[in-house]
Amino acid sequence: MEEMTELTQNQSAIVIGASIAGLVTARVLSDHFTKVYLIERDSLSALPQSRKGQPQANHAHILLARGLELLQRYFPGLSAELNAEGATVGDPGHAMIWHTYGGYRAPFSLGKQVLFASRPFLEWKVRERVLPLKNLEVLSGYSAERLVPDLLQQQVMGVRVTSPSGETFTWKADLIVDASGRGSRSGKWLEQIGYAAPQEVKVRCGTGYTTRVYRRQPKTSGLPSWIASTPHAPVERRGGAAFPVEGDRWIVSLFGWHGDHAPCQEEAFRAFARNLPTPELYSLVSRCEPLSDFFTHKFPYSLRRHYEKFDSFPQGYLVLGDAVCSFNPIYGQGMTSALLQAATLDELLQERQGDLWNIAEPYFQRIAKLIDIPWQTAVGEDFRYPQATGPRRWGTGLINAYLSWVHRATHTDPLVSKTLAEVLNLLAPPARLLTPRMVGRVLRNLMRPARLRPSAHRSTLPTLEPISHSSLVKA
Ligand SMILES: Cc1cc2nc3c(=O)[nH]c(=O)nc-3n(C[C@H](O)[C@H](O)[C@H](O)COP(=O)(O)OP(=O)(O)OC[C@H]3O[C@@H](n4cnc5c(N)ncnc54)[C@H](O)[C@@H]3O)c2cc1C
């Protein structure tokens, strides 16, 4: 017979999923609830390791400036700690080599920092801060299976959980937050208790990542260069990025849209890099010592679940992070979006002094507004490709035409470069690119004959550190 344990906690919360979204949500809720339970299907390691529930963890991850600010808010000193342990924290405009739309972006000063760290390392450091919280208990290796409603099905009272040994329990709480990622089963779970699944929107991008880790020559000070090559869509479909991470390593991800993915054989991987319009990534992968095998990840479409459009929703239940929206990862917005959503929940709980009654409506409305911006950034760019399918917002073509001019203006104008970076880092609204001053600068650049446009020559850009002969890869 099925064993049944009923635990009722006063003012307790359950978070499903202990990845970035779940960890930060647990941290936020620990300020508002007597007890927080964090349920994670994978067994959590005491080391920075990737795990089954996170197929994306081996690929290049940047934490955008807005995300790093929020991480600092909830974990003071973490940014310095990450930096001291080898992750790279710095102003992204100072030392970037970013080729896009036929030129290098002009260097600028963002005045804010971003983080380059391997995903398992970042998550491990966050976990180290969350797990010791006095009112937190982690259920590692436990899987949430379905929701448990009250008799009238108006409130989610708990979740049915399977333990590592296969026993099932009902775990009860006043609030349950699903942070179980893109594969979230909330839609199905809601249907099982008489509610509608959220409307889903998919925008096909056909993105594929192929990633390998390389040795990096240690630097004693300053921000080592980071490298990105993003395509002039729709003419080009390939790109790549190299991020300097802890352990004196580069994480190099080569990516492509609509099936044009980098192979995972040595020579073919290099050939893909050589085919990019800029030499730095090829130089890196052909000269640095590889430290890992190849990892691949396919991301067929961006996915948004419109929980804010529900007609009725149970009390005591919320959804957060990739479970609500997972964007084409090339724009690096997922973790920052999760942090913004967790911060919104925090603000709402503060405003309402912990009152949970009907919290779903304002919560989903607010996060929908937040998500709109990174969502439009990602799918707007993806709609440059004729293969992209999905609902296209009116005016996407016009906006993309203007943004192409913005991209080109970033080659020569540090202020345009900086303003675009503020928007992409979710520090400023996209409207910042449409002020009369900005439009004037963009148009002035456009009207300049190409031969008169000062170009950002490679020699003016930060170079890769010299590569020692011992680390050369023998062909
Ligand atoms: C290739 C790639 C590159 C990316 N690069 C970036 C980047 O540069 N910058 C950035 O900000 N974002 C990036 N992202 C997105 C980023 O990885 C996610 O947005 C981020 O992980 C937040 O996701 P999450 O915590 O909501 O979900 P996930 O990370 O998917 O975690 C969900 C967790 O829930 C657990 N779980 C699932 N089901 C259950 C269950 N039933 N019971 C208990 N536990 C469960 C899983 O084991 C997992 O731990 C990238 C994504 C991909 C695919």
Side-chain angles (χ1 to χ4, degrees), residues 156 175-179 184 186-187 190 195-198 304-321 323-325 341 344-345 348 352 356 358-372:
V156 176
L175 178 69
I176 291 150
V177 182
D178 173 16
S184 156
S186 270
L190 286 165
Y195 293 85
R304 184 166 180 185
R305 299 184 172 112
H306 283 282
Y307 282 100
E308 77 282 7
K309 295 188 178 164
F310 65 78
D311 287 329
S312 66
F313 204 79
Q315 301 292 333
Y317 195 62
L318 298 175
V319 188
L320 192 146
V324 179
C325 188
Q341 293 167 51
T344 302
L345 178 57
L348 207 48
R352 298 164 62 104
L356 297 176
N358 286 340
I359 195 171
E361 187 177 350
Y363 167 76
F364 285 124
Q365 293 295 341
R366 285 192 199 183
I367 66 162
K369 286 203 184 96
L370 285 175
I371 290 170
D372 262 347

Side-chain angles (χ1 to χ4, degrees), residues 10 40 46 52 115 125 212 245 307 324 350 385 403 429 460:
N10 195 22
E40 170 53 51
K52 192 171 165 232
L115 169 74
K125 295 302 291 181
R212 203 174 199 193
V245 301
Y307 282 100
V324 179
Q350 283 179 38
Y385 294 102
L403 283 175
T460 67

Side-chain angles (χ1 to χ4, degrees), residues 174-453:
D174 303 297
L175 178 69
I176 291 150
V177 182
D178 173 16
S180 65
R182 181 179 169 98
S184 156
R185 285 183 281 160
S186 270
K188 190 175 146 218
W189 290 345
L190 286 165
E191 282 178 335
Q192 286 169 347
I193 62 167
Y195 293 85
Q199 180 199 330
E200 282 191 356
V201 170
K202 295 176 182 175
V203 175
R204 181 155 294 282
C205 53
T207 310
Y209 270 57
T210 309
T211 295
R212 203 174 199 193
V213 179
Y214 293 84
R215 190 180 305 286
R216 182 165 57 90
Q217 296 300 303
K219 280 246 171 169
T220 44
S221 64
L223 175 72
S225 315
W226 64 279
I227 307 167
S229 173
T230 47
H232 184 167
V235 187
E236 298 163 350
R237 289 196 295 180
R238 296 178 170 192
F243 293 162
V245 301
E246 77 286 349
D248 296 321
R249 298 173 303 159
W250 290 106
I251 291 190
V252 179
S253 288
L254 300 183
F255 40 76
W257 275 252
H258 300 292
D260 195 357
H261 303 159
C264 31
Q265 292 83 32
E266 179 84 46
E267 282 310 314
F269 185 76
R270 283 198 217 174
F272 189 99
R274 193 171 49 226
N275 200 254
L276 296 172
T278 171
E280 293 82 8
L281 286 164
Y282 173 64
S283 164
L284 195 159
V285 300
S286 53
R287 297 175 66 207
C288 291
E289 178 189 356
L291 298 176
S292 78
D293 211 339
F294 294 100
F295 306 102
T296 58
H297 188 93
K298 297 222 183 330
F299 190 94
Y301 49 83
S302 295
L303 170 64
R304 184 166 180 185
R305 299 184 172 112
H306 283 282
Y307 282 100
E308 77 282 7
K309 295 188 178 164
F310 65 78
D311 287 329
S312 66
F313 204 79
Q315 301 292 333
Y317 195 62
L318 298 175
V319 188
L320 192 146
D322 275 21
V324 179
C325 188
S326 100
F327 317 88
N328 182 348
I330 281 157
Y331 309 101
Q333 308 175 113
M335 296 189 294
T336 298
S337 169
L339 278 149
L340 282 164
Q341 293 167 51
T344 302
L345 178 57
D346 189 14
E347 282 151 21
L348 207 48
L349 286 166
Q350 283 179 38
E351 280 168 30
R352 298 164 62 104
Q353 297 179 326
D355 181 7
L356 297 176
W357 188 251
N358 286 340
I359 195 171
E361 187 177 350
Y363 167 76
F364 285 124
Q365 293 295 341
R366 285 192 199 183
I367 66 162
K369 286 203 184 96
L370 285 175
I371 290 170
D372 262 347
I373 295 171
W375 174 258
Q376 278 312 316
T377 301
V379 303
E381 277 294 316
D382 287 342
F383 274 128
R384 290 181 188 272
Y385 294 102
Q387 299 93 331
T389 53
R392 188 184 300 236
R393 197 170 275 191
W394 188 87
T396 300
L398 274 178
I399 292 170
N400 279 347
Y402 177 68
L403 283 175
S404 302
W405 301 342
V406 171
H407 285 302
R408 280 160 57 185
T410 65
H411 301 160
T412 54
D413 188 331
L415 187 64
V416 178
S417 204
K418 178 185 178 196
T419 308
L420 180 63
E422 285 170 344
V423 172
L424 294 179
N425 276 277
L426 305 177
L427 295 166
R432 193 68 65 79
L433 290 165
L434 290 167
T435 60
R437 184 177 180 219
M438 203 46 59
V439 173
R441 295 183 85 109
V442 169
L443 293 182
R444 259 199 306 283
N445 176 75
L446 191 72
M447 284 182 298
R448 246 185 241 174
R451 68 190 160 78
L452 294 182
R453 278 186 218 140

